[in-house]
Amino acid sequence: MRMEDLAARPAFPARRALAWLTGFILSNAALAIGIASLNIPFAHLAEHWKAAFFLTLALPGHFVFFGALLGLLPLLLGWISRRLSWMTVSAVVLQAVWLCLLVTDAKVFALYRFHLNAMVANMVFGGAMQDQVVFSGTVWGLIALAVASVLAVEIALAWLWWRALNRRPGLVKILKAWWIALAVMLFGQAMVAYYDARGDRAIMSQLPYIPWAQPITLKDSLQRFGVKSDPSASLPGVGQGLLNYPRRALDCEAAPKLNVVVILLESLRHDVMTEQVMPNTWRYAQQSQVFEDHYSSGNATRFGVFGLLYGLPGGYWHPMLAEQRGSAFIGQMKKDGYAMHIYGSAPLYNPEFDRTAFSEVREQLVNGPRERKSAERDQAILQDLQRDIAATPADKRFFGFVFMDSTHQPYYMPKGYPPLFQPMAKSINPLEFSQDHDPLPDFNRYRTSAHYSDSLIGKFLTALQASVFADNTVVLITGDHGEEFNDLKQNYWGHNGNFSDYQLHTPFVLHWPGKPAQKIANTTSHEDFVPTVMKHALGCRNDIADYSTGRDLFGPGQADRPLLVESWSQRGIRQGDRIYLFDNYGAATVVDRNYQPLPDAKVDPAAVSQSWEMLTRFQQR
């Protein structure tokens, strides 16, 4: 374009256009607040002024922010074209689509107590719900009428704001509202960060009512300034919140006879439990039940541990955290008078296990000494658990939990620990990871760290077997998830990257008094541990579906059982040799176990339907 042509283009009234867009966005934010408010139980807010104040700030800040994002494209189109009409039409269309999405989300939330996500989109538009939900011609007509009504409202708002600006040019001062909106949004986020660090459920339990909220949390940073969790923070009562968990009161034996010990290793993949790498655990496995086709409930720590201690899919993590609703399994042991010995090498408040699984016993959590490195902390917490058990009276029941960290990247071991394999990396530098990077030295370091962890486990098991509790203690040895070293040759490293065997398949050694040693080939999940222990160790007579989506490990297996798995960026369903992936944008893809795309394969509606039931089973209706 020549300079004279550019100079001849009409001037774009940027200030006036921005003022119109500001008013239009604020009006739509008010409509969005009204839609979201349909699902907020205002009667409960009367009891918590902080919660009411928080929502008063958070809802406007949230929806003005989303509205501003949607306004960027129309503003850009108007500036490039130098036409206010382009900006107006595109803003009307985008805001209409946004409001329609919010209306749909409000209906989904009212029915199922969670917001629109990829799995919902695939079930509705991908055909998985066609046997359960069929829209008649009348319903489609009502939907079309609703969409037309929303569009008419948007057109009216656009016209009214242009008319107001034409009649009262001084309204351009509305631009100052952006500073107020920004201050409101930042103050709301500051409240989330502060009360999250304090463990205040009154504030955090409001987040599920805000569609697609992305709160800022700063627990570690705020703790350095003295803002710590309040042990007396209230826990949810029966019937409160969005969850109906457990669905019925637990009916369990008054005096369980078995103790329970869980030894959990960070990032423990299935193929390191060998006689060479983990000899003590391997020998113990020869006396135990070994579940050979076992998978974590997620490829990240929070989702893997969540599934193990709740017996639920990781999709329940966020509502459980918001309500600080503890595991029924842990709660029942507390009720039964179990001594609770819970140790984490890394802090058990990050991820927030003190606000989820261990909410009811958070004052009994012990974090490893921070001044020591992971290898020394692992040694310390196992010694402490061994000491606790030795000090326990023979007629007392106990729950022991240790979460070891040495097998976490960069794979810790004491200085001078002999390498198990050569070549072994002296350190791990994730910046070097690439398709061409040789994984063997890193993998050898990982296996050596597993060997070190196993040496500590061996000492603990020897002491336990020599104690009075040898014949009445259930012992589980497993990992929170797996660890990958570019095994798929697709440049995946570590975990939280995919739902392949390398990141989900983990050892599961269950030593159960009176059960013969055997290897079980059935597909099993972390979700199966809680129902097995609740039924056979705590003597709970409830239907398992009252408190878990898992299955009894000692019951019959099922071929091609779908496993619902979770990560930060995706949700997946593993079924046989196929993995169904659902991303945050609603797209569903199918891959095989080697993560090779299967372009002609379809998502199995039955697998999605079963997963849907699991994700909605404990939602308050």
Side-chain angles (χ1 to χ4, degrees), residues 334 338-343 360-366:
K334 178 185 179 182
Y338 274 64
M340 311 299 287
H341 309 304
I342 304 170
Y343 291 92
E360 295 185 46
V361 294
R362 65 177 61 159
E363 69 280 358
Q364 294 173 260
L365 304 186
V366 180

Side-chain angles (χ1 to χ4, degrees), residues 33-89:
I33 291 170
I35 294 168
S37 298
L38 295 174
N39 289 312
I40 297 176
F42 287 102
H44 292 300
L45 294 181
E47 305 170 9
H48 302 286
W49 70 267
K50 288 186 296 185
F53 180 60
F54 167 71
L55 283 177
T56 302
L57 296 175
L59 286 170
H62 184 73
F63 287 116
V64 170
F65 172 76
F66 271 101
L69 287 180
L70 290 172
L72 291 176
L73 180 59
L75 187 63
L76 182 62
L77 286 175
W79 181 80
I80 292 174
S81 66
R82 294 293 197 271
R83 293 181 179 179
L84 291 175
S85 60
W86 285 38
M87 180 188 74
T88 304
V89 170

Side-chain angles (χ1 to χ4, degrees), residues 188-201:
Q189 288 286 7
M191 286 186 69
V192 171
Y194 176 78
Y195 286 109
D196 176 59
R198 291 282 294 163
D200 192 316
R201 182 182 160 270

Side-chain angles (χ1 to χ4, degrees), residues 38-362:
L38 295 174
N39 289 312
I40 297 176
F42 287 102
H44 292 300
L45 294 181
E47 305 170 9
H48 302 286
W49 70 267
K50 288 186 296 185
F53 180 60
F54 167 71
L55 283 177
T56 302
L57 296 175
L59 286 170
H62 184 73
F63 287 116
V64 170
F65 172 76
F66 271 101
L69 287 180
L70 290 172
L72 291 176
L73 180 59
L75 187 63
L76 182 62
L77 286 175
W79 181 80
I80 292 174
S81 66
R82 294 293 197 271
R83 293 181 179 179
L84 291 175
S85 60
W86 285 38
M87 180 188 74
T88 304
V89 170
S90 58
V92 164
V93 171
L94 284 175
Q95 293 289 346
V97 171
W98 168 236
L99 282 189
C100 288
L101 184 65
L102 284 175
V103 170
T104 305
D105 174 78
K107 185 61 177 177
V108 170
F109 190 87
L111 292 173
Y112 302 109
R113 296 303 187 270
F114 55 76
H115 297 287
L116 275 175
N117 55 43
M119 183 169 286
V120 177
N122 183 265
M123 291 188 72
V124 174
F125 301 111
M129 288 186 71
Q130 59 188 359
D131 296 330
Q132 303 175 39
V133 179
V134 178
F135 290 165
S136 65
T138 302
V139 172
W140 280 114
L142 290 173
I143 292 174
L145 179 61
V147 172
S149 299
V150 169
L151 187 60
V153 168
E154 292 300 318
I155 293 172
L157 280 176
W159 177 77
L160 287 171
W161 272 105
W162 278 126
R163 184 183 183 191
L165 279 171
N166 289 334
R167 289 192 170 189
R168 297 181 179 272
L171 272 178
V172 76
K173 294 179 181 179
I174 198 174
L175 288 171
K176 295 179 180 179
W178 285 117
W179 295 105
I180 299 173
L182 179 62
V184 167
M185 184 178 69
L186 292 177
F187 194 83
Q189 288 286 7
M191 286 186 69
V192 171
Y194 176 78
Y195 286 109
D196 176 59
R198 291 282 294 163
D200 192 316
R201 182 182 160 270
I203 297 297
M204 303 309 294
S205 61
Q206 307 311 311
L207 290 174
Y209 297 112
I210 305 175
W212 313 296
Q214 297 294 327
I216 295 173
T217 57
L218 301 168
K219 283 184 291 295
D220 287 343
S221 299
L222 290 176
Q223 281 203 357
R224 298 190 185 99
F225 293 96
V227 181
K228 297 183 179 179
S229 179
D230 182 3
S232 64
S234 62
L235 297 175
V238 177
Q240 291 182 339
L242 300 176
L243 295 169
N244 181 25
Y245 169 81
R247 296 196 298 180
R248 294 177 181 82
L250 296 179
D251 176 24
C252 306
E253 292 180 3
K257 298 179 175 59
L258 293 178
N259 307 297
V260 180
V261 171
V262 175
I263 301 175
L264 188 64
L265 284 77
E266 172 72 49
S267 309
L268 187 69
R269 56 188 267 164
H270 69 286
D271 57 1
V272 297
M273 200 197 71
T274 64
E275 187 175 10
Q276 187 175 21
V277 178
M278 300 184 71
N280 296 296
T281 304
W282 182 85
R283 282 192 292 270
Y284 194 64
Q286 311 313 304
Q287 314 162 31
S288 309
Q289 306 254 319
V290 179
F291 295 83
E292 296 185 309
D293 194 36
H294 183 89
Y295 299 89
S296 174
S297 45
N299 59 16
T301 294
R302 70 190 65 222
F303 302 122
V305 177
F306 183 91
L308 186 70
L309 295 180
Y310 279 91
L312 297 175
Y316 283 98
W317 165 269
H318 295 290
M320 290 288 186
L321 174 60
E323 298 187 10
Q324 298 193 41
R325 195 174 291 271
S327 164
F329 164 53
I330 302 296
Q332 185 61 38
M333 286 193 294
K334 178 185 179 182
K335 179 181 177 181
D336 290 339
Y338 274 64
M340 311 299 287
H341 309 304
I342 304 170
Y343 291 92
S345 182
L348 290 172
Y349 57 78
N350 189 16
E352 302 93 337
F353 301 125
D354 62 327
R355 316 282 177 82
T356 50
F358 299 128
S359 287
E360 295 185 46
V361 294
R362 65 177 61 159

Side-chain angles (χ1 to χ4, degrees), residues 506-522:
T506 187
F508 199 84
V509 178
L510 185 62
H511 187 83
W512 198 285
K515 293 286 184 181
Q518 63 174 322
K519 295 181 178 180
I520 296 94
N522 296 332

Side-chain angles (χ1 to χ4, degrees), residues 284-545:
Y284 194 64
Q286 311 313 304
Q287 314 162 31
S288 309
Q289 306 254 319
V290 179
F291 295 83
E292 296 185 309
D293 194 36
H294 183 89
Y295 299 89
S296 174
S297 45
N299 59 16
T301 294
R302 70 190 65 222
F303 302 122
V305 177
F306 183 91
L308 186 70
L309 295 180
Y310 279 91
L312 297 175
Y316 283 98
W317 165 269
H318 295 290
M320 290 288 186
L321 174 60
E323 298 187 10
Q324 298 193 41
R325 195 174 291 271
S327 164
F329 164 53
I330 302 296
Q332 185 61 38
M333 286 193 294
K334 178 185 179 182
K335 179 181 177 181
D336 290 339
Y338 274 64
M340 311 299 287
H341 309 304
I342 304 170
Y343 291 92
S345 182
L348 290 172
Y349 57 78
N350 189 16
E352 302 93 337
F353 301 125
D354 62 327
R355 316 282 177 82
T356 50
F358 299 128
S359 287
E360 295 185 46
V361 294
R362 65 177 61 159
E363 69 280 358
Q364 294 173 260
L365 304 186
V366 180
N367 296 310
R370 296 295 297 271
E371 68 275 7
R372 301 186 190 180
K373 296 182 179 180
S374 291
E376 288 74 26
R377 289 201 302 266
D378 284 358
Q379 182 180 33
I381 62 175
L382 272 170
Q383 288 176 343
D384 288 345
L385 178 58
Q386 183 177 326
R387 179 203 61 210
D388 290 340
I389 293 174
T392 303
D395 60 345
K396 180 76 172 177
R397 300 283 72 83
F398 63 84
F399 170 67
F401 177 89
V402 285
F403 191 3
M404 303 174 68
D405 198 45
S406 290
T407 44
H408 189 278
Q409 193 184 116
Y411 318 126
Y412 304 94
M413 63 200 74
K415 186 176 181 179
Y417 195 80
L420 186 64
F421 301 98
Q422 290 284 11
M424 187 183 86
K426 293 182 179 180
S427 62
I428 301 294
N429 181 6
L431 297 178
E432 295 178 349
F433 292 164
S434 67
Q435 190 68 278
D436 299 326
H437 179 68
D438 181 9
L440 184 59
D442 302 326
F443 187 43
N444 286 342
R445 182 175 180 85
Y446 168 75
R447 289 192 286 180
T448 302
S449 71
H451 186 271
Y452 165 69
S453 299
D454 177 77
S455 70
L456 302 178
I457 294 171
K459 295 175 183 176
F460 172 82
L461 294 176
T462 298
L464 180 62
Q465 289 175 311
S467 73
V468 296
F469 301 111
D471 297 328
N472 65 353
T473 301
V474 173
V475 178
L476 170 67
I477 304 174
T478 188
D480 57 343
H481 49 72
E483 188 82 343
E484 186 171 356
F485 294 86
N486 198 23
D487 299 84
L488 295 171
K489 307 304 180 188
Q490 297 181 38
N491 206 27
Y492 286 112
W493 299 84
H495 51 271
N496 203 27
N498 61 50
F499 298 126
S500 68
D501 289 1
Y502 301 104
Q503 296 195 29
L504 288 179
H505 193 182
T506 187
F508 199 84
V509 178
L510 185 62
H511 187 83
W512 198 285
K515 293 286 184 181
Q518 63 174 322
K519 295 181 178 180
I520 296 94
N522 296 332
T523 299
T524 56
S525 164
H526 268 13
E527 295 175 33
D528 302 335
F529 177 65
V530 161
T532 303
V533 176
M534 295 277 276
K535 180 176 181 179
H536 298 285
L538 304 186
C540 295
R541 292 174 281 268
N542 294 67
D543 187 328
I544 287 173

